[in-house]
Amino acid sequence: MLIADSVTVKGRHDQLVPPTSLHATRGEVRLVVADPQISRTALALALSGRMKPTTGTVSWGHADSLKTLRQHSALLDSPEVNEPESHMKVRDLVAEDLALLPGPIWRKPRAKKWMALHGFDDVAASWADALDPARRLELQLLLAAEDSRVELLVLDSPDRHDMQDEAWLDLLLEFAESHREFAVVATVSDIPYDWDGPVSYLGSTVLEDFEPVAPATQLLGDDTTVQEPVADDALPEGFVQEELDLDLPEAVEQETTTEEDDDLEPTVAEASDVKDER
């Protein structure tokens, strides 16, 4: 279980995440409503262990170390952090993500075979940012799932793309309800119309689920007020990196050890490689 207790994140100029508490269990999708984009990104970084909260704690299971949280979580599609870059083709994105998997190189899936196995060989030469948004999100989820240690998927603003809410919600539910039973957390700007699953709010320190309220500035509780949203298009390019003072290579780097690598279960693609060799 993911437990965030009174987490705050302060940027260079302002507080980006007021005290926020939430929990997410394996097998469920939890939406976290936050505005503006910089706050959604800062919260996603904290919940995935890529950034140490200014105050408060984030823990995974019974371990409260940031390293454990980072090893068991994946941050997906975070703007200006690790969203697919415009100059990358699908085959390059796949090759890069597979290369970052823990373990010796001979145990890592081969990009070409992986794309054929998962049905992406037809778009291998396409630009990653030109893919249909739902298919691109599925690609990122499948790549994150290749790391057998990952149990928590944190998505930054999946609703910002040009696709129906049902498209990205169905994908998140599919991964949460799979045999891996991922815990899935998505920071969003608003709640989809027909969503009846668990919801948390930026600035809420109440861990219990509660019914959403319509006005974005209305009090959510005696100790909770949602901040007035700021237009996302008012944020200049590079604002996230500057405000959070991110060193991106270190911010998203996965820590691995040789001992852990030896205990990893083979991925689906690796098992396929072994079968072919036989």
Side-chain angles (χ1 to χ4, degrees):
M1 173 185 286
L2 172 72
I3 301 177
D5 184 10
S6 300
V7 169
T8 70
V9 176
K10 189 178 185 306
R12 284 189 172 184
H13 304 96
D14 299 302
Q15 186 179 57
L16 304 177
V17 177
T20 300
S21 299
L22 61 93
H23 63 86
T25 60
R26 297 188 66 172
E28 78 168 14
V29 175
R30 174 170 292 274
L31 304 184
V32 187
V33 181
D35 263 320
Q37 176 66 65
I38 182 66
S39 294
R40 292 196 292 273
T41 296
L43 183 58
L45 286 165
L47 294 178
S48 61
R50 271 62 179 175
M51 172 180 288
K52 184 177 181 180
T54 305
T55 61
T57 60
V58 186
S59 61
W60 177 252
H62 298 291
D64 58 0
S65 84
L66 206 61
K67 178 180 178 181
T68 298
L69 173 62
R70 189 161 57 246
Q71 288 180 335
H72 291 283
S73 66
L75 174 67
L76 281 72
D77 199 30
S78 187
E80 297 188 40
V81 179
N82 68 347
E83 62 183 337
E85 299 180 39
S86 58
H87 67 273
M88 295 187 72
K89 294 191 174 181
V90 172
R91 62 190 175 211
D92 301 323
L93 174 63
V94 172
E96 182 178 275
D97 279 22
L98 295 180
L100 293 175
L101 291 173
I105 189 171
W106 56 268
R107 291 183 60 186
K108 299 178 182 181
R110 298 173 183 174
K112 187 175 181 179
K113 180 174 286 189
W114 189 94
M115 287 185 290
L117 179 65
H118 294 283
F120 288 92
D121 50 342
D122 62 318
V123 292
S126 302
W127 297 108
D129 65 343
L131 274 185
D132 173 76
R135 199 172 187 192
R136 184 172 62 243
L137 178 58
E138 181 185 14
L139 173 65
Q140 294 175 84
L141 287 165
L142 286 169
L143 286 169
E146 280 296 325
D147 189 338
S148 60
R149 302 171 306 170
V150 169
E151 300 169 319
L152 168 67
L153 301 172
V154 179
L155 295 95
D156 185 354
S157 313
D159 57 341
R160 76 183 190 275
H161 299 295
D162 185 20
M163 60 176 158
Q164 297 293 323
D165 289 335
E166 292 80 2
W168 59 267
L169 275 173
D170 286 348
L171 279 170
L172 301 194
L173 287 168
E174 179 183 338
F175 276 77
E177 296 168 358
S178 69
H179 71 283
R180 294 273 295 274
E181 292 186 313
F182 293 102
V184 182
V185 178
T187 59
V188 296
S189 60
D190 202 0
I191 306 171
Y193 176 74
D194 57 351
W195 176 250
D196 59 359
V199 176
S200 297
Y201 292 85
L202 184 74
S204 171
T205 54
V206 180
L207 283 174
E208 293 78 16
D209 295 335
F210 51 87
E211 293 296 323
V213 293
T217 57
Q218 182 174 343
L219 288 177
L220 299 175
D222 294 338
D223 62 342
T224 306
T225 304
V226 173
Q227 297 178 336
E228 193 73 38
V230 178
D232 289 347
D233 56 7
L235 303 180
E237 185 176 355
F239 181 82
V240 170
Q241 298 178 31
E242 179 183 354
E243 183 67 17
L244 294 178
D245 196 20
L246 290 178
D247 184 354
L248 296 187
E250 295 182 3
V252 300
E253 182 180 359
Q254 296 269 354
E255 297 185 34
T256 61
T257 64
T258 303
E259 294 179 359
E260 289 175 336
D261 293 340
D262 292 338
D263 295 332
L264 293 179
E265 298 178 359
T267 63
V268 173
E270 288 170 355
S272 177
D273 285 342
V274 173
K275 184 178 180 180
D276 289 346
E277 290 174 4
R278 291 177 180 175

